[in-house]
Amino acid sequence: MRLLIAEDNLQLARTMQRGLSENAFAVDIARDGADALYRLSITSYDLVILDLGLPEVHGMEVCRQLRESGSPVLILMLTARDATTDRIAGLNAGADDYLTKPFAFGELLARVRALLRRGTVTAAATLTVADLLVDTVRQRATRAGRDLELTTKEFALLEYFARNPGRVLGRAGLFEHVWNETLDPTSNVIEVYVQRLRRKLGAPPLLRTRRGAGYVLLPGDGADEHGDA
């Protein structure tokens, strides 16, 4: 899942980014409301952590513009204010949840995961494809009862495939949802990670290649339908 943190306090933004990245999220940062709106217009983020007191364009206005444009992105609004009227105003503007500063990172992570479960992505905390189980909360995956030893990024990639079983996912979609903006889109890192996942998933193959289109997590026996490139 790819997230955007819109927060002008760079130290806080970096702390959130580091913690969320350690929990298998791809995370970008916007330092003001105008930058946040631009990034949200060119990238399909799954969720935005939106500070209310942003410079350039206020967080409340960012929220309103997103909803007026029909954006389905999930919005977790952050603010130093704890007045009931501010919480109500944020929710009325289109926010999906509200978190008051200061907060514990554990609560932020729990709110993010809860929003993603009940939002536009697959609701289940545990995803099942054939004999593959992906526990998105514990970041644990098993196949036929066997634990898969995955890095954080391998798990993030597997989770995205498991949230879209049977759907062919191209490089652009994988880049957009699993990696952040620091990845060079011309590199072969996606192909490298897919091959690693294939090896770790073992047989019979679950992760197939659709030549010229992308990859698909699909249960069944046999080799890839259109080759292994």
Side-chain angles (χ1 to χ4, degrees):
M1 298 290 102
R2 189 164 177 183
L3 314 182
L4 177 67
I5 295 172
E7 167 63 63
D8 62 326
N9 183 327
L10 185 58
Q11 182 178 356
L12 175 59
R14 292 294 188 198
T15 298
M16 289 190 288
Q17 182 185 46
R18 182 169 59 252
L20 290 165
S21 296
E22 289 171 355
N23 283 273
F25 293 102
V27 187
D28 298 323
I29 293 175
R31 297 286 303 280
D32 59 62
D35 188 28
L37 285 170
Y38 172 72
R39 289 170 183 269
L40 287 158
S41 72
I42 63 173
T43 301
S44 297
Y45 289 101
D46 299 291
L47 180 145
V48 55
I49 298 171
L50 180 64
D51 181 45
L52 193 63
L54 289 173
E56 300 293 336
V57 181
H58 193 268
M60 197 76 74
E61 180 61 23
V62 171
C63 188
R64 289 196 186 96
Q65 288 191 32
L66 287 172
R67 293 310 183 224
E68 287 174 1
S69 70
S71 171
V73 67
L74 296 165
I75 299 174
L76 174 59
M77 190 170 280
L78 302 181
T79 181
R81 307 171 190 172
D82 59 2
T84 300
T85 52
D86 291 320
R87 293 198 296 271
I88 292 172
L91 294 171
N92 284 341
D96 297 284
D97 200 0
Y98 202 100
L99 188 58
T100 303
K101 301 176 183 177
F103 52 83
F105 176 76
E107 181 178 6
L108 172 72
L109 180 60
R111 295 286 187 96
V112 167
R113 284 174 168 164
L115 281 175
L116 290 171
R117 284 198 300 272
R118 75 171 190 247
T120 58
V121 297
T122 305
T126 301
L127 310 170
T128 304
V129 181
D131 57 355
L132 173 68
L133 298 179
V134 179
D135 186 332
T136 64
V137 175
R138 296 179 180 85
Q139 289 188 60
R140 178 173 177 259
T142 64
R143 184 163 189 206
R146 172 178 61 89
D147 282 331
L148 303 179
E149 299 297 328
L150 303 174
T151 66
T152 300
K153 187 57 70 177
E154 288 168 351
F155 181 86
L157 181 59
L158 180 61
E159 179 186 347
Y160 189 62
F161 277 119
R163 289 190 182 276
N164 297 275
R167 179 183 168 196
V168 178
L169 303 175
R171 291 185 87 260
L174 295 174
F175 170 78
E176 191 166 75
H177 288 277
V178 183
W179 276 267
N180 62 20
E181 63 188 0
T182 61
L183 176 67
D184 179 356
T186 65
S187 78
N188 69 340
V189 69
I190 291 175
E191 289 77 10
V192 170
Y193 272 91
V194 167
Q195 291 302 322
R196 288 180 184 174
L197 268 186
R198 277 204 178 105
R199 288 195 298 270
K200 293 186 177 185
L201 286 170
L206 281 178
L207 188 53
R208 319 292 186 83
T209 298
R210 293 290 176 83
R211 193 180 297 279
Y215 308 97
V216 57
L217 190 69
L218 190 67
D221 297 330
D224 289 357
E225 293 178 23
H226 296 283
D228 198 30

